[in-house]
Amino acid sequence: MTTLQPPAAAEPRPAPPPARRDRRSWTGWGFIGPFVAVFALVFLAPIVYSIYLSLYRNQLIGGNTFVGLDNYKQAVQDDQFWESLGRVSLFLCVQVPIMLGIALLVALALDSGRLYGKSFFRITIFLPYAVPAVVATLMWGFMYGTEYGLVGDINQAFGVTLPDPLSPDLVLASIGNIVTWEFVGYNMLIFYSALRVIPHSLYEAAEIDGAGQFRVITAIKLPAIRGALVIATIFSIIGSFQLFNEPNILRKLARNAITTDFTPNFYTYSLSFNGQQHNYSATVAIIMGLITMVIAYAVQLRGMRKGA
Amino acid sequence: MSTPVTTASPSAPAETGGPGKSAPRLRGPRRHSVGKPKRSVLLTVMTSLLVIYTVVPLIWLAINATKTQTGLSDSSGLWFAHDFALWDNIRDTFTYDDGVFTRWLLNTLLYVVLGAGGATLLAVLGGYALAKFDFPGKRGIFAMVIGAVAVPGTALAVPTFLMFSKMGLTDTPWAVIIPSLVSPFGLYLMWVFATEAIPTELLEAARIDGAGEARTFFTVSLPLLAPGIVTVLLFTTVATWNNYFLPLIMLKDSDWYPLTLGLSVWNSQAETIGGEVIYNLVITGSLLTIVPLIAAFLLLQKYWQSGLAAGSVKE
């Protein structure tokens, strides 16, 4: 499980070997112990417990019985599960590139030093990150309204009939817009922070070589922030696969368009809390966790290989 | 993950001089010099489009918080209604249903102080240990934490709920606070930050002077970690303040709801039979919910932006 391995930190910085040997002791545990204890309680124990749950089934007759991989077999043939997975995959393939693309362009614009009022842009575009998903969804939900919302205003003002953002055809795109709004600034900031630590001497060298802006971006800036790009991509993949808050809140406005198995996460939630199918719910959650990790790992490998 | 900074450009001599803002090594005209690029109106205008996209919903929220329930439905979304009801709305938000909003606000503060505060404390201690100590099991912890970041957190929600339910913790504040205490991102940020910010020689010196580890940490290291701590605290605060999913599954009793959950209940009240429609309070409540965080980000931006930048040095 070395996905997301933070750069460099794995290997401690070069310290003189004798000093290191002296310091290798249990002292560090005094500092990290509390974190590890809570971590074990809220991360490791639930993982183990959900694996246990996924191997059992709670039946009316016979109670809790060991069923081996039956739950997994059921999930593999579960159309509801695959449909929800397909939906978040589509979301992932469309929303994430748009969001990260915009974030990258703005980060490059900020870093170029060619903007008037740079710090204003940086902080303003970041602000939606401070808005809870609940509030963001409520706001956009109101604005999407065709009767009283902004869409309604536009319809009235121009005498047109815009398509309903909350209709079954468009609701996924509408959710994508909310998620983009929430996280474009956050990703921009990650990219911008990475761009800022590129040594200026590289730019000067490029200038001597007669490289133009575009060349500097493709040959210096993008390779230099590859790590940040990969991390942002992985976080976005995880976020897409976990999609829950936005559809959950928006469902109150678009009950026909958003079903309770709209996303895998929504599905596990409904299974567990409306259907009392805890064992099957845990199984679906584990499968989703595995899929997410495999994809995140693949992205990391691929992202790193390009540079080699 | 290698350090891509060094692989930058084949044609660029990897010269590691200081930040070369001055360095007028060039002869010839310096029209596009890296130090002082020409400002571009076009680029500024294009970036402004994104700013508009970003702020329109916030402006919408601020404007509509000034409207009454009837004003909301019969006025344009991006302009004020004839009656200015902001102060009434704020008062009503706090007093509606025996002041339940105040209760939710206090709950949220409780979760932030204990959850985000605790998470920051654990992350600072842990990050410091990873950066400055060599101890048995360090690699294992590293792999575990990094792996955990990749596990969809919400995938653990159901088993965590069942576990907590067996322990009798559900429907108590602890069910929200305890899971909030772990912030792998905070640990990672603190780790990188501590590696950069605390010179190992300084620790050695303190030890030679006879200071214990605890004392060294508090008097020598902690002050150096301040920008990193502010950054982690701010991000864990956002995570806790904005948390919705965890309280949703853990809490039944609305007396323990945080603001996010309360607002969504108010919002869905409209469609329950006999439920009073209070969209004006939902909107005003939403505004009141985001104002403290936005203020914190604006006021502390110097600190957290420098903390974040240090955290990304190695990426």
Side-chain angles (χ1 to χ4, degrees):
Chain A
M1 297 220 290
T2 50
T3 332
L4 276 186
Q5 180 168 11
E11 297 152 53
R13 331 235 36 223
R20 277 194 58 197
R21 200 170 49 232
D22 288 346
R23 278 176 36 229
R24 186 175 169 94
S25 70
W26 291 89
T27 322
W29 272 98
F31 289 98
I32 204 162
F35 181 91
V36 173
V38 184
F39 183 83
L41 179 69
V42 299
F43 268 91
L44 301 186
I47 291 177
V48 174
Y49 188 50
S50 61
I51 293 172
Y52 162 83
L53 281 175
S54 73
L55 301 175
Y56 284 79
R57 191 171 285 167
N58 216 336
Q59 277 145 341
L60 274 179
I61 304 159
N64 214 18
T65 34
F66 182 81
V67 293
L69 295 178
D70 277 7
N71 287 325
Y72 291 89
K73 280 183 206 146
Q74 185 186 343
V76 169
Q77 297 162 353
D78 186 343
D79 288 342
Q80 278 176 292
F81 169 64
W82 290 111
E83 258 173 51
S84 68
L85 182 61
R87 204 171 282 123
V88 287
S89 303
L90 175 66
F91 184 88
L92 171 70
C93 294
V94 177
Q95 187 266 336
V96 170
I98 292 177
M99 172 181 69
L100 295 184
I102 297 174
L104 182 62
L105 286 178
V106 178
L108 286 169
L110 284 173
D111 186 62
S112 74
R114 285 160 185 266
L115 288 182
Y116 294 93
K118 182 170 107 178
S119 47
F120 165 77
F121 283 117
R122 196 173 59 212
I123 188 73
T124 315
I125 295 172
F126 174 72
L127 278 187
Y129 178 70
V131 176
V134 173
V135 172
T137 312
L138 288 176
M139 265 175 358
W140 279 103
F142 279 118
M143 288 168 57
Y144 285 150
T146 45
E147 278 181 54
Y148 306 126
L150 273 191
V151 174
D153 286 346
I154 295 171
N155 284 349
Q156 237 175 9
F158 298 100
V160 291
T161 313
L162 292 178
D164 180 3
L166 296 175
S167 63
D169 287 341
L170 285 180
V171 78
L172 192 64
S174 302
I175 293 173
N177 174 53
I178 300 177
V179 175
T180 305
W181 184 81
E182 289 175 294
F183 290 106
V184 79
Y186 176 74
N187 287 299
M188 170 205 74
L189 206 67
I190 292 180
F191 297 152
Y192 176 72
S193 306
L195 282 169
R196 245 186 13 163
V197 295
I198 300 174
H200 269 252
S201 52
L202 290 180
Y203 300 148
E204 278 158 24
E207 196 177 2
I208 295 173
D209 291 349
Q213 275 292 317
F214 185 72
R215 184 97 180 94
V216 168
I217 288 174
T218 53
I220 300 181
K221 294 192 177 184
L222 292 185
I225 65 166
R226 188 187 303 115
L229 289 169
V230 170
I231 285 199
T233 308
I234 290 175
F235 278 139
S236 303
I237 292 171
I238 294 174
S240 302
F241 278 160
Q242 290 191 20
L243 204 61
F244 177 85
N245 292 357
E246 291 83 2
N248 180 260
I249 307 274
L250 216 51
R251 180 171 148 75
K252 279 145 197 164
L253 299 170
R255 207 162 273 283
N256 301 326
I258 301 176
T259 50
T260 54
D261 57 358
F262 194 74
T263 70
N265 213 4
F266 209 153
Y267 186 40
T268 55
Y269 171 81
S270 315
L271 282 174
S272 219
F273 293 95
N274 302 333
Q276 297 299 315
Q277 300 186 52
H278 296 309
N279 299 77
Y280 186 53
S281 166
T283 312
V284 173
I286 289 176
I287 294 176
M288 270 320 287
L290 286 174
I291 293 177
T292 311
M293 275 168 55
V294 166
I295 293 181
Y297 191 64
V299 167
Q300 195 213 354
L301 280 186
R302 206 182 134 66
M304 289 304 115
R305 198 186 53 201
K306 258 188 245 160
Chain B
M1 206 174 287
S2 62
T3 48
V5 173
T6 51
T7 66
S9 156
S11 62
E15 216 188 324
T16 41
K21 270 195 181 139
S22 49
R25 222 181 299 119
L26 304 176
R27 280 158 257 147
R30 307 188 36 176
R31 275 182 304 138
H32 311 290
S33 169
V34 281
K36 282 204 177 88
K38 258 183 77 182
R39 311 251 164 182
S40 159
V41 175
L42 181 68
L43 203 58
T44 308
V45 170
M46 281 165 61
T47 315
S48 305
L49 293 179
L50 189 62
V51 168
I52 293 172
Y53 171 64
T54 303
V55 296
V56 160
L58 298 174
I59 292 173
W60 181 92
L61 189 70
I63 289 178
N64 286 275
T66 68
K67 296 178 185 173
T68 57
Q69 181 61 38
T70 43
L72 275 177
S73 50
D74 57 19
S75 69
S76 161
L78 276 181
W79 198 242
F80 297 92
H82 48 276
D83 49 352
F84 187 86
L86 178 63
W87 311 120
D88 291 342
N89 278 342
I90 292 178
R91 196 196 56 222
D92 292 349
T93 303
F94 280 108
T95 54
Y96 183 79
D97 196 8
D98 295 330
V100 71
F101 187 86
T102 315
R103 169 90 204 206
W104 294 335
L105 177 64
L106 293 175
N107 290 342
T108 305
L109 288 173
L110 176 78
Y111 301 151
V112 164
V113 169
L114 293 182
T120 307
L121 181 71
L122 296 184
V124 170
L125 290 173
Y128 176 68
L130 288 170
K132 294 296 162 190
F133 290 92
D134 197 6
F135 50 88
K138 182 167 159 173
R139 282 182 160 275
I141 290 174
F142 171 78
M144 208 173 67
V145 172
I146 296 312
V149 179
V151 176
T154 38
L156 299 176
V158 170
T160 311
F161 166 78
L162 294 174
M163 260 178 54
F164 275 39
S165 157
K166 286 213 169 119
M167 293 192 270
L169 290 174
T170 44
D171 230 8
T172 73
W174 297 112
V176 178
I177 293 167
I178 294 174
S180 307
L181 288 176
V182 172
S183 164
F185 176 66
L187 183 82
Y188 166 64
L189 207 65
M190 237 20 251
W191 176 2
V192 181
F193 193 86
T195 310
E196 295 284 308
I198 306 174
T200 306
E201 299 78 31
L202 208 60
L203 296 180
E204 307 284 344
R207 288 184 188 121
I208 290 170
D209 288 349
E213 289 302 336
R215 175 143 178 224
T216 309
F217 173 73
F218 283 110
T219 57
V220 177
S221 309
L222 212 49
L224 293 171
L225 292 176
I229 295 175
V230 172
T231 312
V232 174
L233 187 62
L234 211 53
F235 280 81
T236 52
T237 299
V238 171
T240 319
W241 187 280
N242 295 356
N243 203 346
Y244 170 74
F245 187 62
L246 187 69
L248 175 70
I249 62 170
M250 292 292 185
L251 305 174
K252 279 213 179 73
D253 182 356
S254 64
D255 273 354
W256 287 117
Y257 281 4
L259 287 170
T260 48
L261 205 47
L263 285 173
S264 104
V265 168
W266 271 6
N267 183 52
S268 48
Q269 186 171 311
E271 54 170 70
T272 43
I273 297 159
E276 192 182 354
V277 180
I278 44 166
Y279 286 136
N280 58 329
L281 301 192
V282 174
I283 291 170
T284 310
S286 297
L287 183 67
L288 294 171
T289 301
I290 65 173
V291 163
L293 282 192
I294 290 191
F297 269 108
L298 291 176
L299 288 175
L300 297 172
Q301 55 170 314
K302 272 224 168 87
Y303 293 97
W304 62 263
Q305 289 196 1
S306 71
L308 208 59
S312 70
V313 165
K314 286 286 167 285
E315 276 180 9

